[in-house]
């Protein structure tokens, strides 16, 4: 079964507040996005990597240095590049304004896989086992059950009630769907102007059942400077 991966690295990283876009910061010797890229390279037949404006060339050079059997096609277009070997196709594309726009651009740049996995490369610790598991179960997302007690709080900062924790999961990535299903969900969202903070929220609107699978190993997202230090610590102990 052919697999497409849409790897997101086009965010600014405002909450991290560095001078470089978050996924291009160095983590354990390589840019954050490259950790996920290497994992997906083992598994996907086709990859679209979304990058911030002005970062296409840097992404391309990092990938070419690591996988030197790839050929660089169509040089010259800013931020857009295609890298290819006999059995892989990598598209580097400029991301959109919000995450959802970036996924849409990634989907437009790909088209070979039967299943498409969308992943935030800010989740740099993702394991191959996690990726394989969610693809196998598609439509499915990686998620973790809530461990803390969850309060619903009003605008004044006062508790309104306690949620039933047993039914609450935190959505992570990767999230994998039959590619046709994902396209249908994104087409519908564009027509109806619906926005979602993850991919499943758009696919849910099609009325299909989506499974949750727990990650194998840590799968935290680097959001703040503390997260970056924590990820560095976890990787240095591997
Ligand atoms: N992302 C993207 N295109 C965007 C916004 C986000 O490709 N327009 C990607 C990010 O690079 C990240 C993932 O989506 O891998 C999840 O987003 P988030 O963790 O929120 O990253 P940022 O948007 O970069 O961070 P912040 O919200 O703090 O600015
Ligand atoms: Mg963001």
């Amino acid at each position: 079964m052919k697999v497409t991966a849409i790897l997101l690295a086009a965010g600014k990283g405002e909450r991290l507040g560095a001078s470089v876009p978050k996924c291009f910061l160095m983590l354990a010797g390589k840019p954050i996005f490259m950790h996920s890229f290497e994992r997906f390279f083992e598994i996907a037949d086709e990859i679209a990597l979304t990058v911030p404006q002005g970062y296409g060339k840097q992404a391309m050079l990092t990938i070419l240095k690591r996988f030197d059997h790839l050929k660089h096609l169509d040089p010259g277009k800013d931020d857009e590049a295609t890298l290819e070997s006999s059995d892989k196709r990598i598209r580097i594309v400029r991301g959109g304004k919000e995450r959802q726009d970036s996924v849409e651009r990634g989907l437009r740049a790909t088209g070979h896989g039967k299943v498409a996995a969308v992943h935030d490369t800010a989740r740099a610790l993702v394991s191959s086992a996690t990726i394989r598991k969610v693809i196998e179960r598609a439509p499915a997302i990686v998620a973790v059950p809530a461990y803390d007690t969850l309060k619903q709080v009003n605008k004044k900062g006062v508790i309104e009630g306690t949620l039933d924790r047993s039914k609450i999961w935190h959505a992570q990535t990767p999230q994998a769907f039959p590619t046709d299903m994902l396209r249908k969900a994104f087409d519908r969202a564009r027509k109806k102007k619906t926005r979602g903070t993850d991919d499943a929220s758009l696919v849910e609107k099609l009325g299909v059942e989506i499974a949750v699978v727990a990650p194998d190993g840590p799968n935290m997202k680097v959001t703040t400077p503390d997260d970056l230090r924590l990820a560095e610590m976890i990787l240095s102990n591997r």
Side-chain angles (χ1 to χ4, degrees):
M1 181 179 65
K2 288 219 166 165
V3 173
T4 293
I6 296 172
L7 303 184
L8 303 175
K12 289 197 183 79
E14 275 168 6
R15 287 168 288 183
L16 204 131
S19 54
V20 171
K22 181 167 75 181
C23 295
F24 286 75
L25 284 171
M26 296 301 274
L27 167 66
K30 52 191 151 202
I32 286 184
F33 81 83
M34 203 53 190
H35 290 268
S36 301
F37 190 93
E38 288 179 2
R39 296 286 83 71
F40 276 91
F41 195 86
E42 301 159 9
I43 293 164
D45 303 278
E46 175 188 54
I47 299 175
L49 174 72
T50 72
V51 297
Q53 185 165 14
Y55 282 83
K57 187 149 189 212
Q58 193 178 322
M60 180 188 80
L61 292 174
T62 307
I63 294 166
L64 284 177
K65 205 164 109 197
R66 174 68 179 75
F67 300 103
D68 55 12
H69 65 290
L70 291 170
K71 275 202 282 299
H72 181 206
L73 312 172
D74 73 354
K77 274 203 250 152
D78 66 14
D79 288 336
E80 313 271 317
T82 305
L83 312 176
E84 214 168 55
S85 67
S86 55
D87 61 345
K88 291 234 191 280
R89 192 176 173 81
I90 318 292
R91 304 291 309 272
I92 295 170
V93 294
R94 175 140 32 94
K97 197 159 173 288
E98 287 171 36
R99 184 188 184 281
Q100 185 171 328
D101 307 310
S102 291
V103 178
E104 219 174 316
R105 291 180 64 93
L107 262 176
R108 231 178 285 144
T110 51
H112 297 284
K114 193 127 195 72
V115 172
V118 184
H119 180 63
D120 297 340
T121 65
R123 290 190 192 279
L125 305 183
V126 68
S127 68
S128 305
T130 300
I131 299 169
R132 288 185 202 282
K133 196 156 83 172
V134 74
I135 288 172
E136 227 163 73
R137 297 281 306 275
I141 70 166
V142 174
V144 292
Y147 295 134
D148 297 322
T149 299
L150 294 155
K151 300 294 183 193
Q152 189 171 315
V153 176
N154 70 15
K155 285 195 179 111
K156 290 184 209 140
V158 174
I159 294 173
E160 287 177 343
T162 303
L163 301 181
D164 177 5
R165 185 178 66 183
S166 68
K167 291 178 78 178
I168 307 285
W169 289 60
H170 296 277
Q172 300 188 344
T173 68
Q175 304 195 346
F177 310 91
T179 309
D180 292 347
M181 187 188 285
L182 188 63
R183 278 188 202 287
K184 201 168 155 192
F186 272 76
D187 285 347
R188 185 182 181 280
R190 190 174 343 101
K191 281 191 199 117
K192 299 206 174 243
K193 296 198 174 20
T194 31
R195 307 295 294 179
T197 51
D198 76 344
D199 312 294
S201 61
L202 303 179
V203 179
E204 285 158 34
K205 298 220 159 63
L206 301 178
V208 295
E209 277 183 17
I210 305 167
V212 290
V213 303
D216 268 321
N219 195 37
M220 61 172 288
K221 182 155 74 80
V222 174
T223 306
T224 64
D226 278 344
D227 295 335
L228 189 58
R229 282 189 281 272
L230 184 59
E232 190 85 50
M233 253 163 60
I234 294 170
L235 286 170
S236 72
N237 279 320
R238 273 190 182 165

